[in-house]
Amino acid sequence: MVKRLRFFQYLYLILWNFSTQVCCQDTQRLWFDTSATDWNHALPVGNGRLGAMIYGGALKERIQLNEQSVWLGQDVDFVNPLAKEGLQEVRNLLFAGKYVEAEKLAQQKLMCDKKIPSTYQTLGDLQLEFQQTGKVKDYCRDLDLETAIAGVSYKVKGVVHKREIFASAPDQALVMHFTVSQEGALNFTCKMLRPESKATVTIKNNEIMLTEHVGEGNGVKLCAKLKLLTDGKVVVKESGIALEHASTATLYITAATNYRGENPEEVSRKQLEVVLKKPYDLVKKQHIEDYQQYFKRVSFGLGTSKAIDLPTNKRLHAVQNGADDPQLIALYYQFGRYLLISSSRPGGMPANLQGLWADGMWPPWNADYHININIQMNYWPSEITNLSEMHEPFLKFVDELRPNARRTAKEMYGVEGAVGHFSTDAWHYAEPWGQTDWAMWPMGYAWSATHLWEHYLFTEDQKYLKELAYPALKDGAKFCVNWLVENPKTGRLVSGPSISPENKFITAQGEVASMVMGPTMDQMIIRDLLSATIKASEILQIDLEFRTQMQQTLAKLSPTQIASDGRIMEWAEEFKEENPGHRHISHLYGLHPANQISSQTPELLEAARKTLAHRLANGGGHTGWSRAWIINFFARLQDGEAAHQNLVALLQKSTLDNLFDNHPPFQIDGNFGATAGITEMLLQSHAGEILLLPALPKAWPKGHIKGIVARGGFEIEMDWNGGQLTKLVVMSRLGNDCILRLGTKTISLKTEKGKNYVFGQALSPQ
Ligand code: FUC
């Protein structure tokens, strides 16, 4: 009997060892052979609302916690009362070419004073200290994208220690599970704290509770609860809980705020009660099932590479030193999808500048919602990578912006409709504050509203169009129609005062200025929004009068112009840029994300190519998100080589060891923008046709992708070999007709809802 027991113990140990070793080799896994010493190397988990950054220290573990509504600030109205009179004066000065004067006046009369500070903040820290002596061996820290579970494993004196950490959406809890291969060898102390704050921590039994009214009242009330379940002994200490002689333990953390008017203590208590009733294995199983229903919709492979045996940071460093590793690109792609599923879930708030993960009390740019590209970029991959539901928090957020956006339009500019400027926050402000050269940009709401139309193009959900999308589109369109003024020189309608985010130009007098009438990007966004709203009103068969007004406005809108050097003009005049390599390439909005510059407009397409070349020749793409946008531009230009070069440059210059995008500092938009860009290299559907492999680079001769989505509701699967399409499956979700294009070959396809259409080599029917 004893012998048999020994045998099983032995077998158990072998299996443990085996599983620690294989943990590290997988195509869908980020893994490291050291713990993180820096926040930017820690690994993120999240359920859309609750997030954690895992350092994975063997002796001291820091898990930095987030809850998406932990915000300082409040809903305030801070419109500048001088704005209405200032508007006309500033316009007059701009039309008279007095740019610098106009800017000074706008600074005084149009900029609003945002007195109440606001920022997203950390929820706090979970800190663990392990009582174990001896050398740490076979260390592995990983994040499995297939299961959304982070792991830490190592051996000390022959004892294998393992941790599993995940954020469960079904149970709305962060879960940490600890096991050791030797009975009673698990000993640690744990505490929860909120550094640099006045949070109160109370400990009762084996439960810790942390509460605070953020910003001493100027922010949300928060509550986080932690409960430890174990087979060992629990000793409550003054600052935390000590666990002794355990073989297994599970920590559950729940947290909530009063952001949506709920009682945070009650919510987190109830959530904790529910999750504690379930066995750990069930919590884990349901977490995996829930996550995989989204993640598994897309598979992507670019072949294997030897580098798979290397830890992820070393693979990245190898690419930074010139190695080719397409499989790392596939991993990076899926990491983008993982991050979206983990930071943006239906019913929640949208992914902010850092998604969900931000440390400290004042993260960069307050980890807010920048609506002059950053939040839009966050959502570029949502529809095309089959994560349509994850788009919802942003779409609903636009709807929530409407009351403040309408009030701002009325009080500031005296017009109907909704306006937003360069940024907003959890409290939905719509006023511009700060300096005119980055803040005086009234297109933030309009651009955001186009996302509601995009969602419709993929889903054709009529109820959604009527109830959520159209009212939001109409509010934006109304503002545009009322905001535009006639340029006295051309008789065309222009937007302004405004800027081309956030670039500056040199005036004829040699001065530096940024504000104009009719910057190209504004005109493009307005064209986009009005066209979408017109189509939506046609589908819904409503608002004929307003539709006519929008059509008349569109017809008079100042067009996109090409400069004498062949580039797209960024402003209404041919100014020299102050920074010709500027990170914003706003005047190519029409190329991506919009569809105003395509093969149907060859002259503009050529001008866009020149514009991009010029920006890059002058140092463009130096922030992660800017580089990610460039990948999308080149994909739309069907230049696979340039798209690939910029993707590699993103990994080489703007990617942190944990594969987070680096502005610097960490900003998540580049991750999302790149995932969108890779999809655009393989599939496009913005200009009425489904383009197959439009920008396939030579570096990916063989590959497979399944589950990406085209407008009109088509799920696409493709295999290619030798750079040639070998198999295509089109799954029709809605029964629409479509045109498939592969190079110069096109096929018109009539489809039935729910049916698959299979093609072979070079689109041959199967
Ligand atoms: C935009 C960019 C900056 C930065 C900030 C959060 O305004 O110009 O580079 O990404 O947002």
Side-chain angles (χ1 to χ4, degrees):
M1 182 67 190
V2 175
K3 261 192 189 162
R4 261 178 76 184
L5 204 67
R6 285 235 174 90
F7 171 75
F8 281 117
Q9 273 177 353
Y10 186 63
L11 190 71
Y12 180 60
L13 263 178
I14 290 177
L15 288 174
W16 266 92
N17 282 334
F18 180 68
S19 62
T20 21
Q21 273 151 25
V22 290
C23 118
C24 301
Q25 295 170 0
D26 202 316
T27 54
Q28 304 269 43
R29 202 184 289 263
L30 279 70
W31 72 276
F32 304 83
D33 55 12
T34 55
S35 61
T37 46
D38 180 299
W39 190 89
N40 289 308
H41 299 168
L43 289 169
V45 297
N47 63 9
R49 191 180 67 83
L50 281 177
M53 289 291 282
I54 295 133
Y55 282 61
L59 295 178
K60 281 190 180 181
E61 169 70 288
R62 177 185 181 213
I63 294 180
Q64 185 265 318
L65 307 167
N66 284 109
E67 199 279 350
Q68 73 176 166
S69 61
V70 176
W71 268 84
L72 176 78
Q74 48 187 277
D75 188 355
V76 277
D77 170 2
F78 54 99
V79 165
N80 187 338
L82 303 175
K84 265 190 213 156
E85 68 176 51
L87 178 64
Q88 199 45 50
E89 294 166 14
V90 172
R91 280 180 173 164
N92 292 343
L93 287 170
L94 289 174
F95 279 134
K98 295 181 179 168
Y99 301 105
V100 176
E101 244 175 88
E103 205 148 337
K104 277 190 195 140
L105 193 71
Q107 188 65 47
Q108 185 205 335
K109 294 196 169 177
L110 298 184
M111 287 302 99
C112 307
D113 187 7
K114 185 174 176 293
K115 286 199 191 80
I116 309 265
S118 65
T119 182
Y120 181 56
Q121 295 187 335
T122 183
L123 172 67
D125 269 9
L126 168 69
Q127 294 181 0
L128 306 170
E129 271 190 50
F130 292 83
Q131 280 75 49
Q132 64 210 8
T133 50
K135 206 167 167 335
V136 174
K137 288 187 184 162
D138 299 341
Y139 179 89
C140 180
R141 173 172 63 103
D142 72 342
L143 175 62
D144 184 354
L145 303 185
E146 285 259 338
T147 56
I149 297 179
V152 178
S153 61
Y154 54 89
K155 262 194 240 162
V156 174
K157 288 185 182 159
V159 179
V160 181
H161 293 247
K162 280 192 175 193
R163 293 170 213 163
E164 285 182 329
I165 304 130
F166 58 89
S168 157
D171 281 305
Q172 288 298 309
L174 274 165
V175 185
M176 266 149 277
H177 186 63
F178 305 81
T179 46
V180 282
S181 63
Q182 181 186 299
E183 219 173 276
L186 182 63
N187 298 282
F188 65 74
T189 56
C190 75
K191 55 183 175 187
M192 204 161 45
L193 58 157
R194 192 160 192 260
E196 297 169 50
S197 81
K198 298 200 169 151
T200 310
V201 177
T202 49
I203 307 169
K204 252 196 243 154
N205 308 324
N206 45 2
E207 192 175 309
I208 305 179
M209 179 169 83
L210 182 147
T211 54
E212 189 176 359
H213 195 166
V214 167
E216 295 177 38
N218 174 36
V220 298
K221 284 183 186 166
L222 63 82
C223 175
K225 281 174 172 278
L226 174 155
K227 179 104 180 177
L228 178 66
L229 296 187
T230 176
D231 61 353
K233 187 176 164 205
V234 175
V235 184
V236 173
K237 301 250 163 112
E238 206 183 310
S239 63
I241 293 174
L243 172 67
E244 293 168 6
H245 311 304
S247 306
T248 175
T250 311
L251 272 177
Y252 296 92
I253 294 180
T254 56
T257 75
N258 66 344
Y259 178 70
R260 298 225 189 256
E262 290 167 315
N263 177 332
E265 207 176 315
E266 217 171 281
V267 173
S268 48
R269 180 178 52 75
K270 278 192 189 145
Q271 287 168 339
L272 197 58
E273 272 170 20
V274 173
V275 72
L276 287 173
K277 284 196 186 119
K278 293 182 182 176
Y280 170 73
D281 284 342
L282 183 63
V283 175
K284 179 175 164 183
K285 182 173 168 273
Q286 289 176 341
H287 155 72
I288 294 174
E289 279 168 5
D290 168 76
Y291 167 77
Q292 288 189 340
Q293 67 176 306
Y294 304 113
F295 184 75
K296 287 214 154 178
R297 290 174 185 173
V298 171
S299 59
F300 181 35
L302 290 173
T304 50
S305 67
K306 274 195 198 142
I308 196 166
D309 295 334
L310 289 175
T312 306
N313 52 337
K314 293 187 181 151
R315 279 178 95 168
L316 180 68
H317 298 166
V319 169
Q320 289 167 349
N321 289 321
D324 188 29
D325 189 352
Q327 197 176 43
L328 183 68
I329 287 175
L331 180 71
Y332 181 77
Y333 177 84
Q334 290 288 32
F335 184 53
R337 296 185 64 248
Y338 166 83
L339 291 173
L340 192 61
I341 302 168
S342 307
S343 63
S344 184
R345 287 285 191 117
M349 294 165 76
N352 62 39
L353 283 173
Q354 300 204 179
L356 175 64
W357 305 275
D359 197 11
M361 295 303 173
W362 293 99
W365 286 284
N366 308 327
D368 66 11
Y369 300 116
H370 264 57
I371 50 176
N372 69 358
I373 179 136
N374 316 88
I375 195 169
Q376 288 90 348
M377 186 178 280
N378 282 1
Y379 287 92
W380 288 351
S382 58
E383 302 293 338
I384 56 181
T385 79
N386 214 333
L387 296 174
S388 190
E389 297 92 329
M390 302 340 176
H391 209 170
E392 191 220 66
F394 180 41
L395 307 176
K396 292 244 169 93
F397 182 77
V398 177
D399 183 50
E400 287 167 14
L401 269 177
R402 286 171 62 210
N404 277 351
R406 276 199 301 256
R407 183 181 47 70
T408 304
K410 188 123 204 151
E411 288 179 14
M412 269 199 79
Y413 305 123
V415 299
E416 296 294 320
V419 68
H421 294 81
F422 77 103
S423 77
T424 184
D425 65 4
W427 316 105
H428 309 107
Y429 71 79
E431 297 92 334
W433 60 271
Q435 270 168 240
T436 49
D437 58 16
W438 39 267
M440 191 51 233
W441 190 67
M443 289 293 119
Y445 179 91
W447 186 352
S448 303
T450 64
H451 276 247
L452 286 117
W453 176 244
E454 277 295 304
H455 180 72
Y456 174 78
L457 292 178
F458 285 85
T459 59
E460 296 188 3
D461 179 342
Q462 303 296 316
K463 189 171 182 287
Y464 152 84
L465 184 68
K466 186 164 178 243
E467 289 169 9
L468 188 72
Y470 186 71
L473 287 163
K474 188 177 170 185
D475 264 354
K478 246 198 217 163
F479 172 77
C480 295
V481 165
N482 294 322
W483 166 252
L484 289 162
V485 286
E486 220 177 81
N487 181 336
K489 282 188 206 138
T490 63
R492 295 291 202 140
L493 293 175
V494 287
S495 161
S498 187
I499 58 169
S500 182
E502 300 175 18
N503 207 359
K504 295 183 190 159
F505 57 86
I506 314 288
T507 67
Q509 291 73 34
E511 292 166 311
V512 176
S514 59
M515 263 170 48
V516 288
M517 294 303 293
T520 301
M521 185 188 223
D522 284 30
Q523 304 295 117
M524 287 174 165
I525 290 175
I526 293 172
R527 187 170 300 113
D528 217 16
L529 181 61
L530 293 186
S531 311
T533 315
I534 289 168
K535 283 184 206 138
S537 80
E538 282 167 354
I539 295 165
L540 296 171
Q541 298 182 347
I542 50 173
D543 280 343
L544 185 60
E545 206 179 308
F546 182 53
R547 194 189 311 156
T548 312
Q549 205 187 346
M550 288 190 284
Q551 281 158 341
Q552 286 162 353
T553 305
L554 261 188
K556 263 188 90 176
L557 203 60
S558 182
T560 303
Q561 300 180 74
I562 299 176
S564 51
D565 65 3
R567 289 186 287 145
I568 305 269
M569 276 167 60
E570 184 160 359
W571 299 278
E573 285 180 59
E574 277 199 44
F575 292 127
K576 197 168 175 295
E577 303 99 323
E578 189 218 18
N579 173 4
H582 201 273
R583 60 193 182 284
H584 287 263
I585 312 177
S586 308
H587 43 324
L588 293 193
Y589 172 91
L591 177 65
H592 182 277
N595 61 2
Q596 295 164 29
I597 304 177
S598 69
S599 51
Q600 288 156 25
T601 58
E603 279 175 21
L604 288 177
L605 201 66
E606 190 44 37
R609 205 182 296 278
K610 284 191 182 144
T611 309
L612 201 50
H614 192 261
R615 270 294 209 268
L616 280 168
N618 287 282
H622 51 92
T623 68
W625 67 258
S626 178
R627 184 73 70 184
W629 201 2
I630 292 168
I631 300 167
N632 287 276
F633 286 141
F634 276 121
R636 289 275 170 103
L637 290 169
Q638 303 193 18
D639 186 341
E641 295 317 306
H644 182 255
Q645 270 166 25
N646 282 281
L647 177 56
V648 171
L650 183 73
L651 291 173
Q652 288 178 332
K653 297 179 188 172
S654 306
T655 301
L656 294 158
D657 274 8
N658 60 358
L659 299 190
F660 265 171
D661 168 66
N662 199 10
H663 182 289
F666 160 53
Q667 208 170 277
I668 206 157
D669 41 17
N671 286 101
F672 293 139
T675 293
I678 294 167
T679 316
E680 291 273 336
M681 289 166 76
L682 303 174
L683 181 77
Q684 292 173 26
S685 62
H686 57 286
E689 296 177 332
I690 297 179
L691 307 188
L692 306 162
L693 306 179
L696 187 68
K698 288 200 184 84
W700 305 345
K702 187 171 165 18
H704 168 82
I705 192 148
K706 182 173 187 228
I708 51 178
V709 187
R711 288 167 188 78
F714 303 96
E715 272 187 43
I716 305 291
E717 177 181 357
M718 286 180 287
D719 284 345
W720 63 95
N721 202 347
Q724 303 299 319
L725 185 76
T726 52
K727 182 185 165 196
L728 166 74
V729 184
V730 178
M731 198 281 270
S732 174
R733 283 179 179 172
L734 305 169
N736 283 323
D737 299 343
C738 65
I739 298 169
L740 301 168
R741 174 180 289 278
L742 179 68
T744 52
K745 183 170 181 182
T746 59
I747 287 184
S748 296
L749 185 68
K750 290 206 177 308
T751 76
E752 276 176 51
K753 192 173 168 170
K755 282 211 170 154
N756 281 347
Y757 299 85
V758 185
F759 300 86
Q761 189 89 29
L763 282 189
S764 55
Q766 294 279 294

